[in-house]
Amino acid sequence: MAAGTRASRDVYIVFGGSGFVGRHIVEQLQARGDTVSVFDVVQKYHDTPFYSGDITEEDQVADALQKSGATCIFHTVSPPHGLQDPALYWKVNVDGTKAIIAAAQAQGVRKLVYTSSAGVVFNGEDLINVDERAPTPTKSMDAYNESKVKAEELVLAANGEKGLLTVSLRPAGIFGYV
């Protein structure tokens, strides 16, 4: 690699990097030779710099961003679909996303990739030829998707604000194990 090339590469932090989706992102970044760290409540792997914390606490998020030197965040944190606690979905998916956005902007992080859900546009009927322009239903199917809609709205509204570039991905049918 030419001198100076490495300095222009992103430094990644994966929020939820001990979970299923997050861990696969960590492994792919490592395989490419990128600098990556993990922020999570549980450390399951010891091959990556790790920051333990609560994503709803902006100061804990900011501290990890500062210490890691991250320039790009992958946000994969979410309670699993199907729980009976709507408040937990709101706390993690909405309040946690607010904290990540605020900390990223305060720390000068340039990029945020948010893991949303295809369920944010699902209204109970078949969706054919749908893209990112599809509107969200007036009423979400459940508390999980309602919280994902709100979090996605926050992420997209933050795009370009205070130097932060954002994107929201809507995967469907995530299954497997770590």
Side-chain angles (χ1 to χ4, degrees):
M1 193 173 299
T5 303
R6 184 71 182 161
S8 65
R9 293 183 66 176
D10 279 308
V11 174
Y12 299 93
I13 187 166
V14 180
F15 283 77
S18 291
F20 180 70
V21 172
R23 181 59 189 173
H24 284 282
I25 293 170
V26 168
E27 289 173 352
Q28 290 297 308
L29 292 170
Q30 288 173 327
R32 288 187 349 184
D34 288 314
T35 302
V36 61
S37 58
V38 168
F39 182 100
D40 212 316
V41 292
V42 175
Q43 184 174 14
K44 293 183 181 177
Y45 307 94
H46 299 277
D47 59 352
T48 308
F50 182 82
Y51 302 94
S52 178
D54 178 345
I55 68 163
T56 66
E57 297 294 329
E58 184 181 334
D59 60 330
Q60 292 178 27
V61 173
D63 185 57
L65 294 175
Q66 189 274 321
K67 287 178 179 173
S68 70
T71 61
C72 181
I73 297 167
F74 283 94
H75 172 9
T76 69
V77 178
S78 180
H81 187 266
L83 300 179
Q84 299 303 310
D85 187 358
L88 179 62
Y89 289 129
W90 197 265
K91 179 178 172 67
V92 175
N93 292 340
V94 178
D95 296 341
T97 299
K98 283 181 187 176
I100 288 175
I101 291 168
Q105 290 171 331
Q107 294 297 316
V109 176
R110 297 274 304 133
K111 301 172 187 171
L112 168 62
V113 179
Y114 174 66
T115 305
S116 183
S117 170
V120 301
V121 294
F122 186 61
N123 61 6
E125 300 173 9
D126 289 342
L127 300 173
I128 300 168
N129 296 325
V130 174
D131 65 16
E132 67 277 3
R133 295 170 292 188
T136 58
T138 307
K139 178 153 176 49
S140 295
M141 295 293 291
D142 52 34
Y144 172 84
N145 285 304
E146 179 180 19
S147 70
K148 285 294 206 174
V149 167
K150 181 61 178 169
E152 184 177 293
E153 288 172 355
L154 293 168
V155 167
L156 297 178
N159 188 43
E161 298 295 319
K162 301 180 183 176
L164 183 63
L165 301 175
T166 69
V167 65
S168 181
L169 306 177
R170 295 178 177 169
I174 296 174
F175 63 94
Y177 59 92
V178 178

